[in-house]
Amino acid sequence: NYESVQCTLEYDYDYAGNDIYSTPSLSGDHKYCEAVCSLDTRCTHFSFLSHPPRGPWCYFKNSAQGRLSYPGAISGTCSQPDDSSENSDGRQSVDCSTYGSLWKSSQDGTTC
């Protein structure tokens, strides 16, 4: 559910560098980036770029260093929801009834 995630957003800024991974935005907007970042304990920030050649695209990050003006970009700072926990093997586990296919689509080895 993209609507249940809250991140602090900055419009027209990109957090250049410090990428953990990137993926297309399945929702076509920044809400997908917010949801995936908030569920991944490695991710503290994201940048969403809607412009070609790759857009709409999410860049998941571990820092906001490299913050620079980038018209049309949306970047954010996210925290993990309370309904997630870490397994003994260090992988994140989430409530799949809430996040289901969204989390599985992030393809980072997380289990439900």
Side-chain angles (χ1 to χ4, degrees):
N1 181 349
Y2 302 129
E3 301 303 321
S4 66
V5 177
Q6 296 295 315
C7 297
T8 304
L9 300 178
E10 267 196 292
Y11 293 88
D12 298 321
Y13 282 93
D14 179 21
Y15 302 152
N18 301 296
D19 293 353
I20 301 168
Y21 57 93
S22 66
T23 184
S25 171
L26 298 184
S27 66
D29 62 18
H30 70 280
K31 292 182 183 293
Y32 176 80
C33 308
E34 288 183 77
V36 171
C37 186
S38 72
L39 292 172
D40 188 335
T41 57
R42 301 170 298 164
C43 184
T44 57
H45 299 79
F46 73 87
S47 290
F48 168 74
L49 305 179
S50 60
H51 303 301
R54 285 185 114 181
W57 207 264
C58 301
Y59 297 88
F60 302 101
K61 301 165 179 291
N62 59 13
S63 174
Q65 289 182 336
R67 180 180 177 269
L68 55 88
S69 177
Y70 192 105
I74 301 173
S75 294
T77 302
C78 301
S79 58
Q80 284 72 37
D82 292 334
D83 62 351
S84 65
S85 60
E86 193 168 293
N87 294 326
S88 60
D89 62 1
R91 292 184 300 164
Q92 187 76 2
S93 178
V94 301
D95 175 0
C96 283
S97 65
T98 303
Y99 298 103
S101 62
L102 165 68
W103 187 250
K104 291 174 188 174
S105 69
S106 69
Q107 300 176 359
D108 71 351
T110 299
T111 60
C112 294

